[in-house]
Amino acid sequence: MGPREWVEKHVMGDGDLLCYGNLFDELEEAGAGVFWEELKRAAAPYVAGGRDRARAAQARVDDLIRTLLARDARFGYAPPFCHKGCANCCHQLVYCTLEEARAIHAHCLERAIAIDYGKLQRQLRHVDVDAAGDHTGTTTWDDQPDADRRCAFLGPDRACAIWPVRPLVCRAQLAEGTDAHCTPHNGEPDPEAAGITYVEVNYLISAVFTIHRDSVKKTMGRLLLDLR
Ligand code: SF4
Ligand code: SF4
């Protein structure tokens, strides 16, 4: 079975790829052969993984980013602007898989971290969904008061209260130079944004998102509300 057929069988199933970041550009740049091989390589451990595959995928993203940032530093690139307390990016809609949402829920129960379900409900009023409850891509997120745009897990110190179990997307969010452009405007990226993206990470998250597209499209807030 060639890599494309493998991905179609084990990752895509009956649906399309749910691409994270600019992965589709890679199809043109790298060529179809490399694209499907790399996607298979990124997806295979997750497909074969057991109950702990969500945690393993998060650890893999952390490792990849650490390694790639170290490589970039050797080439003379400045480190990302990101640091604790820098949290403009934590004011937007968050996507995660059901497995990630379960881990967050369990983490909060174990550590008595209160989840503000009222805020999650208010936020979801700004997320357009279809008959299946999947986010259509349309949002009025930025029309909310600032306090409601903040992630329910962003503490008063602007630190993430669930850092060890934060979703893949939160791990992959990096920017260079400034945090001024890290907030999208109702889903539209700021044209001035200078995000740091790594194709290796995009392959992995795209594979995970495609496998779990039914839950990912529900958004983290909806999944947590359903786990109450
Ligand atoms: S992505 Fe932007 S807002 Fe988020 S931590 Fe990095 S620089 Fe700060
Ligand atoms: S889960 Fe944590 S890192 Fe992710 S958006 Fe919320 S506060 Fe930020």
Side-chain angles (χ1 to χ4, degrees), residues 141-156:
W141 191 267
D142 297 297
D143 298 350
Q144 301 179 87
D146 189 57
D148 273 359
R149 285 197 309 115
R150 287 172 70 102
C151 177
F153 297 115
L154 188 60

Side-chain angles (χ1 to χ4, degrees), residues 87 89-92 94 104 151-155 159-163 166-167 169-171 220:
C89 56
C90 298
H91 289 68
Q92 56 185 308
V94 177
I104 293 168
C151 177
F153 297 115
L154 188 60
C160 175
I162 57 161
W163 186 255
R166 70 199 186 286
V169 292
C170 303
R171 293 162 195 270
M220 179 177 76

Side-chain angles (χ1 to χ4, degrees), residues 62-74:
D62 292 348
D63 282 349
L64 275 171
I65 288 175
R66 225 179 348 259
T67 303
L68 292 163
L69 286 175
R71 179 202 64 185
D72 287 354
R74 288 197 298 278

